[in-house]
Amino acid sequence: MDHLKLTADKLSIDDISELVVNDSCGAVSIFVGTTRDNFEGKKVLHLEYEAYEPMALKAMKSICDEARSKWPAVHGIAIYHRLGAVPCCEASVVIAVSSPHRRDSLEAVSYCIDTLKASVPIWKKEVYADSEPVWKENIECKRIADKNLVQINVSNEEIQKRIHHFIERKRAQVNLSNIQDFIPRRENETEDMETCARVRTQFVKRNDSKGHLKVCRVENEWGPQTVPEPQMVQKVDSTLPHSIAERVTAIESYLNTTPVSPDIYKRLKEMEDKIAYLQSISPEYAQFWKNNKSTIKQEQMPEYVVSAEDIDKKIELLELQQNLM
């Protein structure tokens, strides 16, 4: 049976070893990894462990399966790893393996700790007394690349040189693409040739950049801004007398309001609100009509005096003209 756990609690070696003890087993091999108080002459205060727990537990289970396939006689495996801060002299990892004979358990426990350090996503940070903390990489994680998988076997200087030339080549391609996309006519083209450009543009290189262009001249020959918007034709309300409907529609157009309802009273209310708004933002607007009316002189209509005899003569004249036609 496998016993796997990631915990922030202090690890008990006795409790973990009891998990794998069995009457049929004559050996229990235990590995205990503890925090030491020094590293390369620096004083270590404690270690801090972090893990991606779902993946770590899955990797630990895979280690147990591999160990059982290599040593079928193994009975119980327990792998406990501590997370968070681990002070000096305390255990950070405990692995216990039981088997009928010592060779299987000893080899299996050695395999488990080596594989755990190499493959399980658990990270360690050493906290020092007199310097900044450092995240440490396990020695077992270092791998030598397979030579058959290496595609470029050159110096770092040569790699940087190739990267530089690649960037320059791509930059030139982008510049050419920009010119082709935004300048319709090139030297070998005519105006009749099709192009995807929407404006006629002339580009020059910017002094402060190798890969960008700035617009020197743009002539918009056609576009949404140059196309006049269609004039909205307002329909005359057929429910009103034609003359009144025309006057109401004209006032709405002048005030820039639209018919909010076929109800004439609501339309009048909308116009009144707009006039009140105009008066509020422009006080002199309220005095416009008053002052305008005072300056307009009403035209004096001439007075006509017509007698009944004049009317009869006019009628006779019209009848005579009608007969002649």
Side-chain angles (χ1 to χ4, degrees):
M1 185 176 181
D2 301 330
H3 305 274
L4 310 174
K5 190 173 184 180
L6 298 171
T7 178
D9 299 331
K10 186 176 180 179
L11 301 181
S12 172
I13 300 173
D14 293 337
D15 292 342
I16 296 172
S17 63
E18 284 292 331
L19 296 174
V20 299
V21 171
N22 187 268
D23 294 340
S24 63
C25 296
V28 175
S29 299
I30 301 174
F31 171 82
V32 180
T34 60
T35 302
R36 62 178 180 269
D37 64 354
N38 65 90
F39 177 77
E40 295 181 351
K42 294 182 288 186
K43 182 175 178 57
V44 177
L45 298 179
H46 63 270
L47 300 180
E48 293 182 5
Y49 289 92
E50 293 183 5
Y52 180 43
E53 297 190 29
M55 184 177 291
L57 291 172
K58 184 177 180 180
M60 291 161 66
K61 176 60 177 173
S62 178
I63 292 173
C64 294
D65 295 339
E66 288 292 330
R68 293 185 183 281
S69 66
K70 292 178 180 292
W71 298 277
V74 167
H75 175 74
I77 301 176
I79 303 177
Y80 274 48
H81 204 295
R82 191 165 172 183
L83 300 179
V86 182
C88 294
C89 299
E90 290 190 9
S92 58
V93 57
V94 176
I95 300 177
V97 179
S98 62
S99 63
H101 304 284
R102 65 180 183 275
R103 179 182 294 274
D104 292 334
S105 62
L106 288 171
E107 293 178 354
V109 77
S110 178
Y111 168 81
C112 288
I113 185 58
D114 290 343
T115 310
L116 182 143
K117 285 183 169 291
S119 61
V120 178
I122 299 176
W123 301 277
K124 175 178 67 176
K125 180 169 68 174
E126 288 187 350
V127 180
Y128 306 113
D130 301 325
S131 59
E132 294 294 325
V134 177
W135 288 98
K136 305 295 292 186
E137 181 183 15
N138 293 323
I139 299 176
E140 292 82 1
C141 291
K142 295 182 179 179
R143 295 283 188 266
I144 299 176
D146 187 352
K147 293 183 179 180
N148 296 325
L149 301 178
V150 177
Q151 298 181 359
I152 302 176
N153 189 13
V154 295
S155 64
N156 185 59
E157 182 181 357
E158 178 64 22
I159 292 177
Q160 295 300 324
K161 182 179 178 181
R162 295 187 186 186
I163 293 174
H164 174 73
H165 288 312
F166 173 79
I167 293 174
E168 290 296 326
R169 185 171 67 255
K170 284 298 180 182
R171 183 175 290 152
Q173 292 176 358
V174 171
N175 288 344
L176 179 60
S177 177
N178 287 338
I179 294 173
Q180 292 174 347
D181 287 344
F182 291 98
I183 299 181
R185 293 196 304 271
R186 294 188 288 272
E187 294 180 357
N188 57 345
E189 291 182 346
T190 63
E191 293 186 3
D192 297 333
M193 297 182 68
E194 294 184 357
T195 175
C196 64
R198 299 180 182 178
V199 296
R200 301 193 183 279
T201 311
Q202 180 181 353
F203 287 99
V204 295
K205 285 189 176 181
R206 292 174 52 179
N207 296 328
D208 57 343
S209 176
K210 295 181 179 179
H212 295 82
L213 301 172
K214 70 176 182 179
V215 177
C216 180
R217 176 177 58 84
V218 176
E219 297 177 2
N220 273 326
E221 298 183 351
W222 185 90
Q225 296 85 356
T226 62
V227 179
E229 296 183 358
Q231 297 293 330
M232 299 296 295
V233 179
Q234 293 187 345
K235 295 182 179 180
V236 178
D237 193 348
S238 60
T239 61
L240 297 174
H242 185 74
S243 58
I244 297 177
E246 282 187 342
R247 296 176 67 180
V248 171
T249 303
I251 295 173
E252 287 176 337
S253 177
Y254 179 77
L255 295 176
N256 196 22
T257 62
T258 56
V260 295
S261 171
D263 188 354
I264 183 59
Y265 297 103
K266 291 184 178 180
R267 294 172 65 182
L268 291 174
K269 180 64 169 59
E270 182 73 15
M271 289 186 283
E272 290 174 353
D273 293 341
K274 186 61 177 288
I275 293 173
Y277 169 74
L278 293 174
Q279 291 176 348
S280 66
I281 62 175
S282 181
E284 64 272 11
Y285 186 85
Q287 304 298 326
F288 173 76
W289 290 108
K290 181 178 179 180
N291 297 334
N292 195 30
K293 286 183 178 180
S294 62
T295 57
I296 298 176
K297 295 182 179 180
Q298 293 185 354
E299 183 180 356
Q300 297 294 331
M301 298 298 295
E303 295 182 359
Y304 295 97
V305 179
V306 181
S307 63
E309 184 179 357
D310 294 334
I311 294 174
D312 291 338
K313 290 181 179 180
K314 186 66 174 177
I315 293 174
E316 291 177 358
L317 179 61
L318 292 173
E319 289 178 349
L320 179 61
Q321 292 177 351
Q322 183 68 25
N323 293 331
L324 293 176
M325 294 176 61

